[in-house]
Amino acid sequence: MTQIDASNRKRSSGRLMILGFLSPSLAILLFMVAYPIFSLVYYSFFNFSALRPAAGMKPVGLGNYEFLLGDPELWERFVFTGEFVALCVSAQMLIGIFIGYQLQKNFRGRDLLFTALMLPMMMSPVVVGFLWRYMFNSEWGVINYLLTVIGLGKVDWLGQTTAALFAAAAADTWMWTPFIVLLATAAFRGIPETIYEAAEVDGASPAYTFFRITLPMSAPVLFIALILRLIDSFKQYDLFFALTGGGPGSSTETVSFAVAKTAFSYFYTGEASALAVVLLVIIIGLSMILVRHLNKMGERY
């Protein structure tokens, strides 16, 4: 019994030591994450404006949520956000996997090329937005210049909703495809060479090797990349702020753009908080579904 008590005391002291080391980080995490989320949910139940704090906070219950979910313009923003996410994430995954598969091979200048490909990811989204805004300028932008060189007409890229959607997707794809390339290359290079050698001995074609060996064995890492890009794309704001400003009109406003506009242009703090909560719930729900599939994928491979 004495040895058991000593072992229990030692285990308890070890847990207390671990808790002592973790407590500062946990306190910071609670303050930086839990408190803002709690405040966001709390404000969403009030008619409140940060510009007029003296007016007080009027409880409205679920009134903000009912107003927002009944607003047809909000659903248009959700549809536009979904179209943007589907377009840019699909392009990034396809291009990133293709480039990553090529970069796993050994060739001269590969490291230099890999470093150059990572540069767009290091830039600020606002800088990328303004850069591509100049490139998509309808009069003297380089994109329209190239179109005229090959005999096509100019396109008002930022003055039409559909064209602006493709312009934003192109800018986001240029910036974040290197992230997929980085993870895909690491996943592909982590596959043992002996598996490829065995497949080559069995006479497997390159296509069979890619779809039956490379993709399945790197699927968990690629799925993580997909989850991260979906979450980040769904809350995209700064790129649209610099590239289109939400125009023409408000047709290229994402949900995150609508949150910022409601909060900092109209100063409807309660409505902005409710919209942010809706967006947060959607992102969390989508993440939980994808993580569940990721866990099943991990068990399979």
Side-chain angles (χ1 to χ4, degrees), residues 251-274:
S251 60
T252 61
E253 290 183 3
T254 60
V255 180
S256 294
F257 198 105
V259 172
K261 188 175 181 179
T262 305
F264 303 114
S265 295
Y266 303 143
F267 291 97
Y268 297 151
T269 308
E271 293 179 11
S273 299

Side-chain angles (χ1 to χ4, degrees), residues 36-55:
I37 292 177
F38 173 79
S39 300
L40 190 71
V41 176
Y42 177 75
Y43 287 139
S44 69
F45 297 111
F46 291 87
N47 184 2
F48 169 64
S49 174
L51 190 64
R52 299 180 296 273

Side-chain angles (χ1 to χ4, degrees), residues 170-239:
D172 192 75
T173 300
W174 178 80
M175 181 177 183
W176 288 112
T177 296
F179 176 74
I180 307 298
V181 173
L182 180 64
L183 294 185
T185 304
F188 294 157
R189 292 182 66 84
I191 301 174
E193 287 291 334
T194 54
I195 298 179
Y196 289 113
E197 293 173 357
E200 186 177 356
V201 170
D202 292 338
S205 64
Y208 182 91
T209 302
F210 178 75
F211 287 105
R212 295 292 184 175
I213 297 177
T214 304
L215 276 185
M217 296 194 69
S218 58
V221 176
L222 297 178
F223 205 73
I224 291 174
L226 174 64
I227 293 174
L228 295 176
R229 287 305 308 137
L230 281 173
I231 294 174
D232 187 66
S233 298
F234 208 91
K235 58 186 184 66
Q236 183 63 262
Y237 162 73
D238 35 14
L239 177 66

